[in-house]
Amino acid sequence: MDDMPAISDEIPILTVPTVLFPGTFLPVQVTDDAQRKLLRDCLSAGRRLGVILSPDARHASRSSIPFTTGCLASVTLLAHSGDENSEEPLQAMLFGKQRMRVLDLLQQKPYLTGRIEQLDDQHGANIARRTEQVARIFAQYLAVIGEYYDTEVDDITLPHDPTMASYMLASVLYLPAVLKQRWLESASTALRLDEEQRYLAMECEKHTALLRLSQYADQRFSPPDHRLYLTLTSQN
């Protein structure tokens, strides 16, 4: 838990094209001068920032108002040329601390700032059982994906803490940003785990069916045995 009060004073707000979850890392690359200054200021002063999904991630509208639910974060690493006037992209590593909501956007220059409130999660009922179920189907999902793409898939062990497990799972899955945002906005760990379990179950079913179809096609339309070809030619 952060030492910051539930409602903060003015802090920098960074908009990014993806979603950061508490307890996870997010690499970012910025070219905008204001965002460069924001990251440099936060790192040099050890200052926290609010990270929210940029409005361009919306499908239905292109509102200039960004999503308000995001993640309180710190800058853990900054890679740059050392020249503040350089036009090279500035790369940074962010670490998520806690879910938060932007209450007010206070200014635009030199970069976006606002006041936030920190958000806690409610575990919900049968949370231990839910966490075990998600861990099992996630392991099944990794095995299916590895077989489908015929590649080695790293074994990822989810944390025992239900909320952190739900955050890590949401972070590592390849999902549309708007779906990740919906999971971040959920105040219930149980509901987030339930949605993740349903998603993994559908993905396992889909890839298993595709794998079986591919194997059937290989067997059905496989080229003839070369020994048979040699037998036929020798008879002629």
Side-chain angles (χ1 to χ4, degrees), residues 3-8 100-101 103 116-119:
D3 293 330
M4 295 179 63
I7 298 180
S8 77
M100 60 92 187
R101 179 184 296 116
L103 300 176
I116 69 160
E117 65 172 339
Q118 298 182 42
L119 303 174

Side-chain angles (χ1 to χ4, degrees), residues 29-31 36 79-80 86-91:
Q29 180 174 284
V30 301
T31 56
R36 290 170 187 264
H80 56 89
S86 172
E87 295 184 357
E88 294 182 7
L90 186 64
Q91 299 179 7

Side-chain angles (χ1 to χ4, degrees), residues 15 68 177 204:
T15 61
T68 56
C204 285

